[in-house]
Every structure is written in C-alpha cells, then in structure tokens.
Amino acid sequence: MREGDVFVVWKLDRLGRSMIHLVNQVNEFKDKKIGFRSLMDGIDTESSMGQFFFHVMAALAELERNIIRERTMAGLAAARARGRMGGRSRKLNRDDKKIETARRMYEGNISSMQEIAEFLGVSKKTAYRYIQDVV
C-alpha cells in the first residue's frame, strides 16, 4: 500500500485477534499515512473521533474474547472435576490383556505391526501408541 491509500476491512475482528495487534497495525498504517476503515464497525481512523472509536472497539473485542476464553476454561475444568476428559475414548483400556499380548508379540518379533493392529482391531498407528503406552 502507498501513502494516501485506505485499508478497508469488513469487520474489526478480521484484522487481528488482540487489541495490541490491532493497535500496532493501525499505528503502522498511520506512520505510513495509510487510512483504516472498518465497514461494519463504522470506524474511520482518518478522524480523531474515528481513532477514539477504534480504540474503544478494539478494547471491547479483546474483552469479549477474554470472557469467552475464561468461560471455556471454567467449563473444561468443571467437566474434568466431574470426571469427563476431552478427546475420543480409547478402544481398549490400558489394563486390557490384549495390549499386553500385543506388546509381547511386538517385543518378540512374533508378528508384524499390521498383524498386531488387526489382532487389536485398531490401525497400525493406534497399535504403536498402545504398545508405547505400555512399555
């Protein structure tokens, strides 16, 4: 972009995720004498009022993201406290006898990893993971 150009975004949050990033980006535009406009937020930094409104909107956007993050973390902590763990459930329990048998097959070079995976009823990658968890 050149001096005198105007950088236009649909909405303020499309430019950056944090207030610091947004402010730094708009200040860089200002240093290069490039204007900034956000269509949905009605921000035009070429005026003093527009600059003020930009900083207020950026602060509110960051506040909203922080509140969402805090609620998410609190929800995950509450779920963990109730015994819920995220992610997919395992096909086999760690103490399953099949895993111990598979580990012996692997260590004794009795079967290929493909055969071990078929024995466990999982993919080769998952079979490796089960064997590594036990070892």
Side-chain angles (χ1 to χ4, degrees):
M1 295 184 69
R2 296 180 297 250
E3 184 178 322
D5 286 347
V6 176
F7 187 85
V8 179
V9 294
W10 176 249
K11 199 164 189 222
L12 190 60
D13 63 1
R14 298 293 90 201
L15 181 60
R17 291 285 180 207
S18 71
M19 185 178 87
I20 293 169
H21 178 259
L22 289 170
V23 170
N24 288 341
Q25 186 66 55
V26 171
N27 285 337
E28 189 177 321
F29 290 153
K30 185 177 176 183
D31 292 343
K32 294 178 181 179
K33 297 185 178 155
I34 296 170
F36 173 75
R37 288 193 186 131
S38 173
L39 299 177
M40 290 301 292
D41 302 309
I43 297 172
D44 181 357
T45 61
E46 293 184 44
S47 70
S48 296
M49 194 57 142
Q51 287 178 0
F52 170 76
F53 190 62
F54 163 75
H55 288 287
V56 169
M57 290 300 294
L60 291 174
E62 186 170 16
L63 173 65
E64 180 181 17
R65 279 189 296 275
N66 288 337
I67 289 171
I68 290 169
R69 182 174 43 242
E70 287 172 3
R71 287 179 182 162
T72 300
M73 297 306 285
L76 290 171
R80 276 192 295 276
R82 290 190 309 268
R84 290 236 6 164
M85 297 303 288
R88 296 172 73 177
S89 58
R90 295 173 65 101
K91 287 192 174 198
L92 300 170
N93 295 325
R94 289 181 191 268
D95 58 349
D96 195 311
K97 300 289 183 198
K98 284 179 114 178
I99 295 175
E100 182 60 31
T101 302
R103 185 178 63 78
R104 284 194 212 117
M105 292 166 66
Y106 179 76
E107 288 175 349
N109 293 322
I110 297 171
S111 300
S112 70
M113 187 51 73
Q114 182 61 44
E115 291 170 331
I116 293 171
E118 289 171 7
F119 168 73
L120 293 174
V122 297
S123 70
K124 281 176 35 176
K125 184 175 181 178
T126 301
Y128 274 115
R129 194 173 310 123
Y130 279 129
I131 288 170
Q132 294 301 320
D133 281 351
V134 174
V135 172

